[in-house]
Amino acid sequence: MVVKSATYKIFLSKKIKYSDNLAMKRYLLLLLMCSSIVLADDGNTNSDLKKVRDLAEDMRDIVTHESAPDMHPNPQGNFKLTTEQTDRMSSVSALDEEIVSLVVTVPDCDETGGDVTEDPMAERLKKRKFKIFFEVRYNSNQYDGSAQYGYGSNAFGPWLSANGAGSGIYNLNTLRSRFSSQNPGVDLSKLSVSEQEKLLRQFGKDKYGLQIPENLMVPDLAYDHIRNNPNDWASTLRGVKNQMSFDQKAKLVARFGGAFGDNYNYDRADGTGDYKDGIVTIEELIDSTKGKHPGGVCRDVALAQAQMMKELGVPNSYIVAYKTPGGFHANLITQDPDDPNRVIKMNYGYMTGEENVTGNTVLRQDTTMPDMGLRYRIYNSEGKPVAKLPTELGQMYSEMTGGMEMDPLMSRNYSLSQVGVQGQNWRGRLFVGQTSTGERVVGAATDFRYTFGNDTLNVDGGIAVSTMQGQRSLVEIDQQNLFGRVKAELNSPYLNVGNFGIRAQGTGEGKLMLSNNTVVRNSTGATLYDEKAELSFDTDYTAAVQSHWNSSDEKTKVNAEVRAFFYDDHKNVAAGTSGGHGLHLDKTVVKVGFQHQLDSDYALLADSGVVLRDIGDSAFFRAGLVTNQGRTRATASYEKPLDKDMPRFLPGSTEKVGVGVAHQAGPFDFSLTYQRDLDINQDQFMLGAKIKF
């Protein structure tokens, strides 16, 4: 017992100097040794245990300066730790969880059988002002950028340049003119595109020795025929859809997009002129290429392109609207029906492509008009809203300000490191993140959460300030952001009947971001955008019914939820603001959770459900085994699309299997998850580590 006494005397002194690094490490080591000796001594366990607890808490106060601010390395309050001081903090934290558990599990009792006495240490622990946490999360899912396909153009011209030297035929117009002069009885304009193609191909072979590949001229002939006959655009495209590959179709529609963009209607964009309101039809856009009247703006062009792709037999064609530097933009995303892992995006006439990419990463805009906002809004070929997805930046800001993702299939493809402090109803943190496209985000954030009326009303929100910098295929981007989020959750009281309970819940959430945006072209160094104080926003609403059932022995618990997700948007993208706004259903999630306590050490968890959308449904299943009093967890997951032709940008659009393990050891939390995408043959690893002081 002499060793214990000597050890206690060392620790009872509060005059430990921060500069004495070696002494501090020795003291911490002695404290660990002391606690082991005390716990092994049955004779005076309770009294000695109290001393260890008190001394350890004293040590924590010194390190964190909660009750001894004069001992802090910076008495002015600027909390900065050197590497050595951080080591001390880490050593003390190893005791933290142990001490808390001891206070709870080993109360001071009267050995004669009297009442349990009040332990002042328990109250002291409850009054801690804050906890310090550090977290690192790595995601192996890295995105290399879009394939740059270039502009849509005619197909016959490049082939002729390579194969028609010396023929005297310089372009399609030359071939047509020669045919008409030698066949005056045939009016090509009265024939279908297919009939024109056959006659011209045979004419080129017979008269000029040209071995023109079958259907090579179809896109060019269709382009000219539609420009001359705007009202026949749909029937013309339907007539040739089986004569073109997906690439030919995409290039044809991109060629139209380039022509429409060349006749951009600036008055409509500014909200003036005869075409400021309503919808510009595809026939009017086609006429505009011949200078008959003004054309449209980006949303009109993207809608026309979606309609053209639909007539060409490519139903998975949608308009994507997003925030750009200087305003908002809309373009087309279309998916190869023969290879759903291949996606092409059209910005007027410029095409980029994705292969073997899923989720909201598919929607990234790797052009000179990059996405720099919080969300993507998706519209079908009729212009009606069908879905809304967050950008990775929007996901990251929401997480850093305390937001929770309620879509069970939404993945987080970014990596993140953070350090912060946590109080009873608030948190503050510094964070560094990297998106899957390589942008680096550095910032600070704080969030709060308050409950009123016994869970009747919950309010949470937060603020973040950050910078984002990165380089994409064509441009370098630099963004400074001020982000704010607030959410209200309203719950009805539970209606309980025996072991069953049910209630209703509604939520509303708003997000706002103020940004300075700079975009520089990589090839020239020219500044394309330098915009200040730009506003981006997002709103979400949900309505849910929640229920639960508990077995009489409390070993089995079942919960179920049906939740509908809504968002505010234009009634039709082409009409824009003039067409009015409304609430639109994004998705409905139906899920059931199950928990069963197998014995005192093992519990089985499972949940399954479906996510229902207008443009595709998905199902998911997850199961887990929890042991070691909840400190260790093993999980398995499976998700699968229920519709064959789901667009790849939707969460749950591919079949995936996954396994994971998580373990808590004192203040340390570790997790490792592996997921295999069976449709694109891609592996993804997610590694997480968290420490709480």
Side-chain angles (χ1 to χ4, degrees):
M1 302 302 293
V2 177
V3 176
K4 289 185 187 178
S5 250
T7 307
Y8 289 149
K9 288 180 181 178
I10 292 173
F11 277 90
L12 283 172
S13 173
K14 275 199 172 185
K15 299 184 181 293
I16 300 172
K17 301 295 184 181
Y18 272 83
S19 59
D20 192 355
N21 183 42
L22 181 59
M24 173 67 79
K25 290 182 177 179
R26 287 173 178 170
Y27 292 154
L28 293 173
L29 180 60
L30 285 171
L31 179 56
L32 288 169
M33 293 171 59
C34 168
S35 63
S36 299
I37 296 171
V38 170
L39 292 175
D41 182 6
D42 294 335
N44 297 291
T45 298
N46 286 340
S47 59
D48 288 342
L49 189 58
K50 282 186 59 179
K51 293 178 182 178
V52 173
R53 289 189 322 223
D54 291 344
L55 293 170
E57 191 66 13
D58 288 344
M59 181 64 68
R60 185 186 188 282
D61 282 350
I62 293 172
V63 177
T64 62
H65 79 100
E66 284 190 3
S67 61
D70 57 307
M71 300 295 295
H72 188 264
N74 189 339
Q76 284 72 35
N78 296 324
F79 193 81
K80 296 180 180 179
L81 292 177
T82 65
T83 301
E84 294 178 353
Q85 292 162 353
T86 303
D87 288 342
R88 300 179 200 129
M89 179 83 70
S90 178
S91 299
V92 172
S93 72
L95 296 174
D96 221 18
E97 298 293 329
E98 299 274 348
I99 298 302
V100 173
S101 64
L102 288 173
V103 171
V104 175
T105 59
V106 189
D108 292 323
C109 300
D110 186 341
E111 294 181 359
T112 62
D115 295 335
V116 176
T117 59
E118 179 68 24
D119 187 353
M121 178 59 67
E123 189 65 25
R124 182 176 175 184
L125 292 174
K126 292 178 182 178
K127 290 183 178 180
R128 285 181 178 173
K129 295 179 182 179
F130 61 83
K131 286 187 176 181
I132 300 172
F133 63 89
F134 176 73
E135 181 180 5
V136 177
R137 189 173 68 238
Y138 168 75
N139 195 313
S140 66
N141 190 6
Q142 297 299 309
Y143 171 76
D144 296 328
S146 302
Q148 304 294 316
Y149 292 147
Y151 291 93
S153 60
N154 72 81
F156 184 58
W159 181 90
L160 194 60
S161 298
N163 300 278
S167 66
I169 302 298
Y170 306 108
N171 51 46
L172 182 58
N173 285 335
T174 304
L175 183 63
R176 275 190 296 218
S177 177
R178 299 276 179 87
F179 176 88
S180 295
S181 64
Q182 296 183 38
N183 298 275
V186 180
D187 187 353
L188 289 174
S189 65
K190 302 296 184 182
L191 302 178
S192 70
V193 169
S194 297
E195 291 170 330
Q196 292 181 47
E197 190 271 340
K198 290 179 181 178
L199 289 176
L200 291 174
R201 181 160 45 86
Q202 189 64 44
F203 178 74
K205 179 180 179 181
D206 294 342
K207 298 295 184 179
Y208 303 99
L210 295 173
Q211 301 295 324
I212 303 172
E214 186 178 3
N215 296 325
L216 175 69
M217 294 182 289
V218 167
D220 298 347
L221 292 169
Y223 180 82
D224 290 341
H225 186 80
I226 289 171
R227 287 190 69 216
N228 293 321
N229 303 274
N231 293 328
D232 295 339
W233 71 269
S235 60
T236 300
L237 293 178
R238 285 195 299 269
V240 298
K241 66 180 181 180
N242 295 326
Q243 296 174 255
M244 290 189 288
S245 66
F246 175 69
D247 284 307
Q248 287 178 308
K249 295 172 183 178
K251 289 178 180 179
L252 170 60
V253 172
R255 187 179 178 188
F256 272 111
F260 297 157
D262 289 341
N263 293 275
Y264 190 86
N265 191 334
Y266 291 94
D267 286 343
R268 179 170 169 81
D270 295 335
T272 61
D274 295 337
Y275 291 88
K276 67 177 182 178
D277 296 327
I279 296 174
V280 176
T281 67
I282 190 169
E283 290 83 4
E284 291 172 325
L285 286 173
I286 295 169
D287 266 342
S288 74
T289 66
K290 302 176 75 173
K292 292 187 176 181
H293 55 71
V297 295
C298 61
R299 63 181 187 267
D300 304 309
V301 174
L303 179 61
Q305 290 177 306
Q307 292 171 346
M308 286 181 165
M309 292 301 291
K310 183 178 179 181
E311 295 297 342
L312 285 168
V314 187
N316 263 339
S317 301
Y318 298 92
I319 300 97
V320 181
Y322 61 95
K323 177 72 178 72
T324 67
F328 294 87
H329 187 51
N331 60 22
L332 177 76
I333 182 169
T334 183
Q335 185 170 301
D336 188 343
D338 297 321
D339 182 6
N341 293 328
R342 186 157 180 260
V343 170
I344 288 180
K345 290 173 280 190
M346 297 183 197
N347 181 29
Y348 296 109
Y350 191 80
M351 296 184 294
T352 59
E354 315 289 349
E355 290 190 24
N356 298 326
V357 180
T358 64
N360 58 350
T361 305
V362 178
L363 301 172
R364 294 306 298 264
Q365 302 297 316
D366 198 8
T367 69
T368 55
M369 302 183 73
D371 51 306
M372 301 180 74
L374 300 174
R375 62 180 179 174
Y376 305 104
R377 292 172 292 163
I378 313 297
Y379 307 86
N380 63 17
S381 59
E382 297 176 355
K384 296 180 179 178
V386 290
K388 180 177 74 71
L389 295 170
T391 64
E392 283 189 34
L393 186 65
Q395 285 181 284
M396 190 181 298
Y397 283 156
S398 182
E399 181 183 353
M400 289 298 93
T401 56
M404 291 196 312
E405 178 58 62
M406 291 190 288
D407 185 338
L409 296 176
M410 180 66 69
S411 60
R412 294 184 295 192
N413 293 321
Y414 51 87
S415 297
L416 188 67
S417 299
Q418 57 176 314
V419 60
V421 294
Q422 178 175 345
Q424 185 176 0
N425 296 309
W426 60 272
R427 285 176 297 186
R429 69 191 92 199
L430 303 176
F431 64 92
V432 178
Q434 181 170 307
T435 68
S436 63
T437 49
E439 286 92 9
R440 181 178 173 85
V441 184
V442 180
T446 183
D447 65 271
F448 64 87
R449 181 179 177 85
Y450 291 97
T451 298
F452 304 94
N454 193 25
D455 200 37
T456 301
L457 176 64
N458 296 304
V459 179
D460 66 86
I463 296 175
V465 291
S466 79
T467 63
M468 180 180 73
Q469 294 177 321
Q471 193 140 351
R472 300 192 185 176
S473 298
L474 302 180
V475 297
E476 180 179 346
I477 60 178
D478 189 346
Q479 185 179 51
Q480 296 87 43
N481 295 316
L482 172 63
F483 172 85
R485 182 192 66 83
V486 64
K487 178 181 177 181
E489 175 188 285
L490 186 63
N491 296 304
S492 72
Y494 268 105
L495 175 62
N496 295 306
V497 180
N499 295 339
F500 176 80
I502 189 170
R503 74 173 181 181
Q505 182 186 86
T507 68
E509 183 174 31
K511 303 169 189 175
L512 200 65
M513 186 169 73
L514 197 63
S515 305
N516 294 332
N517 297 312
T518 304
V519 178
V520 177
R521 187 186 293 274
N522 291 335
S523 59
T524 64
T527 299
L528 301 179
Y529 301 95
D530 188 13
E531 306 292 339
K532 306 299 182 185
E534 291 198 293
L535 193 62
S536 179
F537 61 91
D538 192 13
T539 56
D540 291 285
Y541 310 91
T542 75
V545 176
Q546 300 172 320
S547 63
H548 64 80
W549 175 86
N550 300 335
S551 64
S552 299
D553 59 5
E554 294 292 329
K555 288 186 176 181
T556 304
K557 299 179 181 181
V558 179
N559 60 76
E561 179 182 278
V562 179
R563 184 178 298 272
F565 294 73
F566 302 90
Y567 63 101
D568 179 66
D569 202 352
H570 304 303
K571 292 183 177 180
N572 189 291
V573 64
T577 305
S578 66
H581 279 253
L583 280 183
H584 304 277
L585 178 65
D586 179 27
K587 58 183 173 284
T588 301
V589 177
V590 182
K591 61 181 181 179
V592 177
F594 170 84
Q595 176 180 335
H596 180 68
Q597 194 71 34
L598 299 173
D599 56 31
S600 59
D601 197 37
Y602 290 91
L604 180 65
L605 306 176
D607 74 307
S608 62
V610 292
V611 179
L612 309 174
R613 299 179 186 264
D614 282 346
I615 54 177
D617 304 331
S618 301
F620 64 91
F621 174 78
R622 300 183 178 95
L625 182 66
V626 181
T627 185
N628 194 20
Q629 296 181 345
R631 294 189 180 93
T632 304
R633 176 178 301 200
T635 59
S637 64
Y638 177 73
E639 57 187 64
K640 180 179 176 61
L642 300 179
D643 294 299
K644 180 181 178 182
D645 297 320
M646 279 184 68
R648 280 293 193 256
F649 57 76
L650 284 183
S653 59
T654 55
E655 187 175 11
K656 297 178 181 179
V657 295
V659 293
V661 63
H663 181 68
Q664 178 186 355
F668 300 94
D669 286 323
F670 302 95
S671 65
L672 175 63
T673 303
Y674 165 77
Q675 192 173 62
R676 172 76 174 174
D677 193 312
L678 302 177
D679 287 329
I680 64 176
N681 296 319
Q682 186 178 82
D683 299 318
Q684 183 177 7
F685 293 90
M686 290 154 281
L687 177 65
K690 188 172 184 179
I691 307 172
K692 286 186 178 180
F693 301 97

